[in-house]
Amino acid sequence: LFTFSPLYAQTEEALRKTINSLESSIEKEEKELAKLKKGKDTKQKLVNSLARQIEKRNALIAARDKQIKRLNSDISKAQKRVGELSLDLDSLEQSCGRMVREAYRNYRNTNTLSYIFSASSFLEMANRIVALRSATIYRKGQINQIVATREDIKQEQQSLSRKREEVAIAKKKLDSQRAKMREERDLAKATIRQMSQKERKVQASMAEHEKRLNSAIAELRK
């Protein structure tokens, strides 16, 4: 019981490992259940196996639910990030567009060499050259930033798409586990009804013993 539950705060990688471990354990228990259903073992063994399986599925369902919540949180963050980047890109493109139009207009209306050599002093000439170069470098920087922002948006959108696919797969698996757990609960109830009075007493005794054991473990955890 306490091997799989409760699920404490875990990193995404630790949560994946927990899910993989639970799925592996459930798969092994399913094979054991298949043997018990076909064999001539007591109904008590079948009920015990079903109880273990139900407990594992409960833990797996909780882990999957936690995983889906985390993925949905990641999706919300990615959507917000894409929105922010899109606004940044729009602002950069408008700013760069104005600079390019202004530079082209100045180029047509003013000869660059005439602008430089019309300076009243050598210092002013040097300052004009530096200003022209700085404007060119700044425009290039803006263009590079636009390219980088577009790439960031593309990567965020790809990440968003992957997260949505993961959520869809996780939800499908979650629904499958819930359906199987309902089947196992129904089978456990039906098997208990078919058990002899002696078997029921043993089962009840084991259940009471397990309840006391779990209570003792819970006290130790406090």
Side-chain angles (χ1 to χ4, degrees):
L1 177 62
F2 288 96
T3 303
F4 305 107
S5 179
L7 291 169
Y8 298 102
Q10 296 171 307
T11 62
E12 187 174 344
E13 182 60 29
L15 186 59
R16 288 184 187 278
K17 287 181 179 179
T18 297
I19 289 171
N20 291 338
S21 176
L22 283 165
E23 287 179 336
S24 177
S25 181
I26 286 170
E27 187 179 347
K28 290 178 182 177
E29 196 73 46
E30 281 177 343
K31 292 177 182 177
E32 184 63 26
L33 272 168
K35 291 178 184 178
L36 289 170
K37 289 174 184 177
K38 292 178 181 179
K40 296 182 179 179
D41 292 293
T42 61
K43 292 181 176 62
Q44 182 183 318
K45 286 186 178 180
L46 178 59
V47 171
N48 289 341
S49 181
L50 286 166
R52 288 194 300 270
Q53 188 73 320
I54 289 167
E55 190 61 43
K56 291 171 187 175
R57 288 199 197 280
N58 259 324
L60 181 56
I61 286 168
R64 282 286 181 197
D65 188 57
K66 188 173 184 178
Q67 183 187 41
I68 289 169
K69 286 179 180 177
R70 284 190 176 184
L71 287 169
N72 283 330
S73 176
D74 290 343
I75 287 171
S76 295
K77 290 175 183 177
Q79 287 175 328
K80 183 180 179 182
R81 178 66 177 154
V82 168
E84 290 172 348
L85 286 170
S86 296
L87 287 173
D88 290 344
L89 179 61
D90 185 57
S91 177
L92 282 168
E93 286 178 338
Q94 289 183 22
S95 175
C96 191
R98 285 194 297 268
M99 284 192 298
V100 170
R101 287 193 297 272
E102 186 66 25
Y104 182 70
R105 187 163 46 248
N106 290 337
Y107 172 77
R108 291 192 65 184
N109 296 335
T110 307
N111 185 288
T112 304
L113 289 176
S114 297
Y115 170 70
I116 292 171
F117 289 111
S118 64
S120 58
S121 66
F122 179 79
L123 179 60
E124 186 180 352
M125 182 186 299
N127 288 337
R128 288 184 179 187
I129 292 171
V130 169
L132 288 170
R133 286 180 176 175
S134 297
T136 301
I137 291 170
Y138 183 75
R139 282 196 297 272
K140 286 182 178 179
Q142 290 289 90
I143 291 170
N144 289 337
Q145 195 171 347
I146 287 171
V147 172
T149 303
R150 283 177 177 167
E151 183 60 27
D152 286 344
I153 290 174
K154 181 182 176 181
Q155 290 180 2
E156 287 290 343
Q157 287 174 334
Q158 288 174 345
S159 173
L160 192 57
S161 179
R162 286 194 299 270
K163 293 290 183 184
R164 283 172 175 160
E165 287 176 7
E166 286 184 60
V167 168
I169 292 169
K171 283 183 177 179
K172 189 175 180 180
K173 289 183 177 180
L174 183 61
D175 291 341
S176 174
Q177 290 298 327
R178 283 173 173 158
K180 288 179 180 178
M181 191 172 69
R182 284 193 293 269
E183 291 175 6
E184 288 163 354
R185 280 177 175 171
D186 291 342
L187 178 57
K189 288 177 183 178
T191 305
I192 289 170
R193 284 195 295 269
Q194 295 168 8
M195 287 168 64
S196 66
Q197 187 175 3
K198 183 179 178 181
E199 287 175 322
R200 288 185 185 182
K201 283 183 180 179
V202 173
Q203 189 71 26
S205 176
M206 289 178 64
E208 182 61 29
H209 175 72
E210 186 179 1
K211 183 178 178 182
R212 288 198 297 270
L213 178 62
N214 290 340
S215 178
I217 293 172
E219 286 297 322
L220 288 171
R221 283 173 172 267
K222 291 181 181 178

